[in-house]
Amino acid sequence: MTRTEQEFEKEIKCCRDIYEKKTRDYGTSWRILRLPSLTDQIFIKANRIRSIEETGENKIGDDVRGEYIAMVNYAVIALIQQELMSGEHGAESEERLELPLERAMELYDKHLGRTVRLMLDKNHDYGEAWRQMRVSSMTDLILMKLKRIKQIEDNNGKTLVSEGVEGGYMDIVNYSLFCLIRLGEPQP
């Protein structure tokens, strides 16, 4: 296993643990959210990080690391929601909204696994360029991906030559994981 794979595994374990604990606390209440609402929730987190990066002020005290973890989990939830909604029609019932913990974890692992495989392929081709990037630049890239996703959502999912929202969510997961890794490194 490469260094990057080990670092990803460590951060994924942390994100997965929080997702599981929140699912135990709240169930799958997030199933009520439409994809644009999930996109906006991720935007709120990324925008807060950028604000803290620009001002150096953090008045509520929650650390930035927690926001990146939340972005990983909300983006995975968006991928899950996209899959589940594509197979459902009509109004949602309470029973269809609530997933058993085992199913919620299975779907999380499935989508995160696909996303990490994409990262490993891209990381190979790009030569781990992310290690030379500033965390603030990756925050900007996440915000750019969100603007693209919002535009695609506003266009009812139609694109001419661009990847759909799924690729954007996957990139957000991977950039957020890169940021978590970089935040854990000694700072100069």
Side-chain angles (χ1 to χ4, degrees):
M1 183 178 292
T2 68
R3 173 183 166 204
T4 297
E5 288 171 309
Q6 290 172 346
E7 291 169 328
F8 252 68
E9 190 173 290
K10 177 184 171 228
E11 297 302 341
I12 287 167
K13 184 179 182 315
C14 178
C15 295
R16 187 184 190 279
D17 183 57
I18 290 171
Y19 172 84
E20 181 176 4
K21 286 176 180 171
K22 287 196 176 203
T23 301
R24 287 181 188 277
D25 285 348
Y26 304 129
T28 54
S29 57
W30 52 263
R31 289 281 290 127
I32 198 81
L33 298 173
R34 292 171 281 192
L35 286 177
S37 297
L38 287 164
T39 302
D40 286 343
Q41 186 63 35
I42 299 166
F43 172 78
I44 290 167
K45 302 293 185 187
N47 203 55
R48 177 172 181 261
I49 292 168
R50 184 171 172 157
S51 175
I52 291 168
E53 289 171 348
E54 289 179 347
T55 66
E57 293 182 29
N58 178 354
K59 290 192 175 189
I60 61 173
D62 294 340
D63 69 342
V64 168
R65 182 174 166 72
E67 301 291 26
Y68 283 113
I69 291 168
M71 287 194 298
V72 168
N73 287 340
Y74 277 120
V76 173
I77 286 169
L79 292 166
I80 294 168
Q81 191 74 317
Q82 184 180 36
E83 175 187 343
L84 294 177
M85 291 174 79
S86 69
E88 298 173 359
H89 305 287
E92 296 291 348
S93 67
E94 283 298 315
E95 298 80 37
R96 286 179 42 184
L97 288 177
E98 192 58 39
L99 297 174
L101 176 65
E102 299 77 25
R103 179 71 175 139
M105 297 310 298
E106 172 188 307
L107 288 165
Y108 185 91
D109 292 340
K110 171 186 170 183
H111 287 283
L112 193 57
R114 287 180 51 237
T115 300
V116 170
R117 282 190 297 281
L118 173 68
M119 179 281 304
L120 291 172
D121 291 344
K122 285 184 172 185
N123 198 41
H124 173 271
D125 290 352
Y126 285 96
E128 297 210 333
W130 64 273
R131 290 195 184 274
Q132 308 306 312
M133 292 176 65
R134 296 172 186 91
V135 171
S136 60
S137 294
M138 289 188 268
T139 302
D140 289 349
L141 290 171
I142 291 168
L143 285 163
M144 180 187 70
K145 293 287 180 182
L146 288 163
K147 289 196 67 71
R148 289 178 179 179
I149 291 169
K150 284 180 170 195
Q151 184 63 48
I152 293 168
E153 289 170 346
D154 291 347
N155 291 338
N156 296 315
K158 294 181 178 80
T159 61
L160 299 174
V161 295
S162 305
E163 63 185 19
V165 297
E166 182 180 51
Y169 288 132
M170 292 172 86
D171 286 344
I172 289 167
V173 168
N174 285 325
Y175 280 125
S176 296
L177 288 167
F178 289 152
C179 290
L180 288 167
I181 291 168
R182 292 295 313 280
L183 289 172
E185 296 173 345
Q187 301 301 311

